[in-house]
Amino acid sequence: MWEQDEELGKPYDLELLKRFYAYVRPHWGTVALTVVTILLGIAAEITPSFLLRSAIDGPIQNQDSAGLWIYAGAFLALALISGALEAFENYISTLAGQRIIYDIRTQLFSHLQKLSIPFYDRTPVGRLLTRVTNDVENLSELFTS
């Protein structure tokens, strides 16, 4: 009878995070660019509320329609910038995640090639294939999300 899978670890495992860092480290530039893009996107998302406050206190209160057009243009510019940042963030985070997953899959394949024949005799193929596929797919979802 095949033994059951090991118990799941605690939700926050420092040793596991250290192991993931080894895969993230070669791609630190892309990951850092992702973080910067996220921060810029947050700034672009919260700035319209400040513009709205200024528009209400300024041109709307003074009934200055010409001044209001400046704020409308700023709102439009921020919407375009926010959309561009979101698209770039999606692209760059997916790129970083896929590069990390490529490294994990390459190392995993190399490891599976080095295992002995008796290991494959003892281990059900379906279980091994399911574990490799599902675990890597879960990591892929983690890194690309």
Side-chain angles (χ1 to χ4, degrees), residues 46-60 68 71 75:
I46 64 172
T47 303
S49 61
F50 296 113
L51 278 177
L52 183 60
R53 182 185 66 185
S54 298
I56 290 171
D57 291 343
I60 293 176
L68 194 57
Y71 286 97
F75 271 110

Side-chain angles (χ1 to χ4, degrees), residues 34 37-38 41 45 79-95:
T34 301
T37 306
I38 289 171
E45 291 287 329
L80 293 174
I81 289 170
S82 180
L85 283 171
E86 185 176 344
F88 185 68
E89 174 196 334
N90 286 338
Y91 171 76
I92 201 73
S93 65
T94 301
L95 180 68

Side-chain angles (χ1 to χ4, degrees), residues 23-38 92-93 96-97 100 143:
Y23 293 104
V24 174
R25 186 181 19 191
H27 308 287
W28 70 269
T30 311
V31 172
L33 184 59
T34 301
V35 171
V36 168
T37 306
I38 289 171
I92 201 73
S93 65
I100 292 167
F143 284 119

Side-chain angles (χ1 to χ4, degrees), residues 65-78:
S65 61
L68 194 57
W69 281 107
I70 294 171
Y71 286 97
F75 271 110
L76 178 63
L78 276 173

Side-chain angles (χ1 to χ4, degrees), residues 99-113:
R99 286 180 176 173
I100 292 167
I101 291 302
Y102 175 79
D103 291 346
I104 290 172
R105 285 179 196 231
T106 303
Q107 185 178 8
L108 182 60
F109 181 74
S110 175
H111 176 72
L112 289 174
Q113 292 293 315

